[in-house]
Amino acid sequence: MARKSGSSGEKTRVAVQEAAVTLFAKHGFAAVSMRQIASAVGVQAGALYLYTPDKQTLLYEILKNHMEHLLAAWAAENVSAEASPELRLEQFVRFHIAYHIERPERVFISYMELRNLDPDNFSRIEVLRREYEQIIEGILVEGQAHGCFVIDDARLTTMAMIAMLTGVSTWYREGGRLAPADIAQHYVDMAFRLGGGARLAHAAE
Amino acid sequence: MARKSGSSGEKTRVAVQEAAVTLFAKHGFAAVSMRQIASAVGVQAGALYLYTPDKQTLLYEILKNHMEHLLAAWAAENVSAEASPELRLEQFVRFHIAYHIERPERVFISYMELRNLDPDNFSRIEVLRREYEQIIEGILVEGQAHGCFVIDDARLTTMAMIAMLTGVSTWYREGGRLAPADIAQHYVDMAFRLGGGARLAHAAE
DNA sequence: AACGTAACTGAACAGGCGTGCAGTTGCCAA
DNA sequence: TTGGCAACTGCACGCCTGTTCAGTTACGTT
């Protein structure tokens, strides 16, 4: 055999990325061989090099796609920059939780395999990460200026909030005790508490 | 050469663990070879097997030591079970932040390399992790019963708080903008906010 | 129907992997 | 001072690694 019947380059390209994502998430980048990826795709190892110049680039492309898609998805939410910081924080938290719950593997890889990027690729991804962090930091800073949030240290609160929100991907399992929408609601509440503006959202109390 | 002059089994045993911790933290378990560890210790690869039966056990021992030491260190804080939940939460947060800031490598490995444990070792470590999580969950639940904390979902708040607190190890660098004690204070404040008991600690505002 | 090219195989390369073990050396107790 | 053991070397084993490439087959176009 050589070329498979019904084969198409684009289909295989996608299959390679998906197989790599699944395997990297389960075993880690360094622990997965090109032969394992190839076998998951149903192809010989050599064929992978039609789609990536090397293993390192395969990882980089996965992280880059993930971050760019994340940023584009937030942009597509079309949350107006003139909306109140409270509304924007609520929207952001719902978006972040939903996005992270839906793509556990890519999220996992994206902060687990950063150290396996070579320095150049690492700093390219860092730029995108920073850009994403700026979204929430901007909301908090503006909310503080408006007086609707009470924050001691915006940078530290940003880091704490991102850690708290992203943490959902370490324990969430499909079909668990809470539905995604309930989880999102709880995180909205907790984000408001952290921001010192515990009103809105849940109202009452 | 064979035996080195001035050599002692116990010294080498410690050196092996420390070299492994440093290398695992920097490159990941799977990406580090026994030969690299040996070379960092100043020894040939074969000599490592005087101190560990295999690479897997070396990782397990590191995680186990870390978790046991963490639990023992908390116990040594001697925080009375009769103290108020507020006081206990404050003590716990200060302890957790200080501990995690002082041992970044071991902390990093302990949640990064869990998936590289074989199933038996994994569940042994999970028991210890659960035990640690119970400490904070217990404080929150009791505080809720006492009426000094206002919490919707204790389990979820626990996970959020642990993620927030442990997140410090992803960005903290020695000599950074904030001193450890300041960071701890901020995290105490934020923990109280999350727990819905924003009084105490910082007082005023 | 013939041809070019896209898709893929299968073997090969040099090097690294975890681990085992016979042999060598330094240290300490008798 | 001699024996025994603890500490370690150096090489070997079989296997796996990422990557390359000449050869083979299916598909799309002319």
Side-chain angles (χ1 to χ4, degrees):
Chain A
M1 301 145 262
R3 179 167 189 168
K4 313 288 192 62
S5 92
S7 69
S8 119
E10 214 41 52
K11 255 194 257 176
T12 309
R13 162 166 267 112
V14 171
V16 167
Q17 270 232 9
E18 278 174 1
V21 165
T22 303
L23 288 167
F24 289 168
K26 195 175 297 187
H27 308 291
F29 173 76
V32 173
S33 72
M34 294 301 267
R35 274 170 252 261
Q36 281 175 63
I37 298 171
S39 136
V41 175
V43 119
Q44 293 295 75
L48 298 180
Y49 290 84
L50 294 167
Y51 305 102
T52 182
D54 49 40
K55 197 188 176 193
Q56 165 69 211
T57 306
L58 181 55
L59 175 62
Y60 170 65
E61 295 282 347
I62 289 171
L63 297 210
K64 181 171 152 250
N65 285 352
H66 173 69
M67 289 309 298
E68 286 178 348
H69 191 266
L70 175 65
L71 287 164
W74 170 247
E77 292 274 313
N78 278 316
V79 176
S80 160
E82 282 104 42
S84 74
E86 276 129 326
L87 184 62
R88 279 157 67 206
L89 180 61
E90 177 172 357
Q91 300 262 59
F92 180 84
V93 171
R94 285 193 204 285
F95 165 78
H96 184 96
I97 296 295
Y99 197 92
H100 281 62
I101 276 183
E102 279 163 23
R103 289 161 194 81
E105 292 176 335
R106 292 183 136 83
V107 167
F108 194 66
I109 296 174
S110 285
Y111 81 125
M112 216 77 168
E113 302 298 351
L114 280 173
R115 63 174 158 190
N116 285 117
L117 291 172
D118 66 32
D120 282 1
N121 289 337
F122 178 79
S123 44
R124 287 189 200 106
I125 297 295
E126 270 298 286
V127 169
L128 299 174
R129 273 176 84 82
R130 217 72 73 115
E131 193 176 329
Y132 189 70
E133 288 175 12
Q134 292 299 333
I135 295 168
I136 184 166
E137 188 163 352
I139 295 174
L140 293 179
V141 167
E142 203 178 321
Q144 190 176 19
H146 279 225
C148 51
F149 297 152
V150 181
I151 293 165
D152 277 357
D153 187 305
R155 183 78 195 138
L156 200 141
T157 304
T158 299
M159 298 314 284
M161 200 170 288
I162 287 180
M164 178 182 88
L165 295 177
T166 305
V168 72
S169 63
T170 65
W171 57 263
Y172 175 78
R173 295 291 173 271
E174 220 176 300
R177 184 169 61 90
L178 297 168
D182 297 331
I183 294 172
Q185 183 59 52
H186 277 116
Y187 273 99
V188 168
D189 292 347
M190 292 193 290
F192 272 90
R193 288 182 171 201
L194 256 195
R199 6 185 191 293
L200 196 87
H202 222 187
E205 273 193 31
Chain B
M1 301 143 261
R3 177 166 191 169
K4 315 286 191 63
S5 91
S7 70
S8 120
E10 214 42 50
K11 255 195 259 178
T12 309
R13 162 166 267 112
V14 171
V16 167
Q17 270 233 8
E18 279 173 2
V21 165
T22 303
L23 288 166
F24 289 169
K26 194 174 299 188
H27 308 292
F29 174 75
V32 172
S33 72
M34 293 301 267
R35 276 171 250 261
Q36 282 174 61
I37 298 171
S39 136
V41 175
V43 120
Q44 294 296 331
L48 298 180
Y49 290 85
L50 294 167
Y51 306 102
T52 182
D54 49 39
K55 195 188 177 194
Q56 165 68 211
T57 306
L58 181 55
L59 175 62
Y60 170 65
E61 295 282 347
I62 289 171
L63 298 209
K64 182 171 152 251
N65 284 353
H66 173 69
M67 288 309 298
E68 286 177 348
H69 191 267
L70 174 65
L71 287 163
W74 170 248
E77 292 275 312
N78 278 316
V79 176
S80 160
E82 282 104 43
S84 74
E86 276 128 326
L87 183 62
R88 279 156 67 205
L89 181 61
E90 177 172 358
Q91 300 262 59
F92 180 84
V93 172
R94 285 193 204 285
F95 165 77
H96 184 96
I97 296 295
Y99 197 93
H100 281 62
I101 277 183
E102 279 162 23
R103 288 160 195 82
E105 292 177 334
R106 292 183 135 84
V107 167
F108 194 67
I109 296 174
S110 284
Y111 81 126
M112 216 75 167
E113 302 298 352
L114 279 173
R115 63 174 158 190
N116 286 116
L117 290 173
D118 67 31
D120 281 1
N121 289 338
F122 177 80
S123 44
R124 288 189 199 106
I125 297 295
E126 270 297 286
V127 170
L128 299 174
R129 274 176 84 81
R130 218 71 74 114
E131 192 176 329
Y132 189 70
E133 288 174 12
Q134 292 299 334
I135 295 169
I136 183 166
E137 188 164 352
I139 295 174
L140 293 179
V141 167
E142 203 177 320
Q144 190 177 20
H146 278 224
C148 51
F149 297 151
V150 181
I151 294 165
D152 278 358
D153 187 306
R155 184 76 195 140
L156 201 142
T157 305
T158 300
M159 298 314 283
M161 200 170 289
I162 287 179
M164 177 182 88
L165 295 177
T166 305
V168 72
S169 63
T170 65
W171 57 264
Y172 175 78
R173 297 289 173 269
E174 219 177 300
R177 184 170 61 90
L178 298 167
D182 298 331
I183 294 172
Q185 183 58 52
H186 278 116
Y187 273 99
V188 168
D189 292 347
M190 292 193 291
F192 271 90
R193 288 181 172 203
L194 257 194
R199 9 184 190 293
L200 196 87
H202 223 189
E205 274 194 27

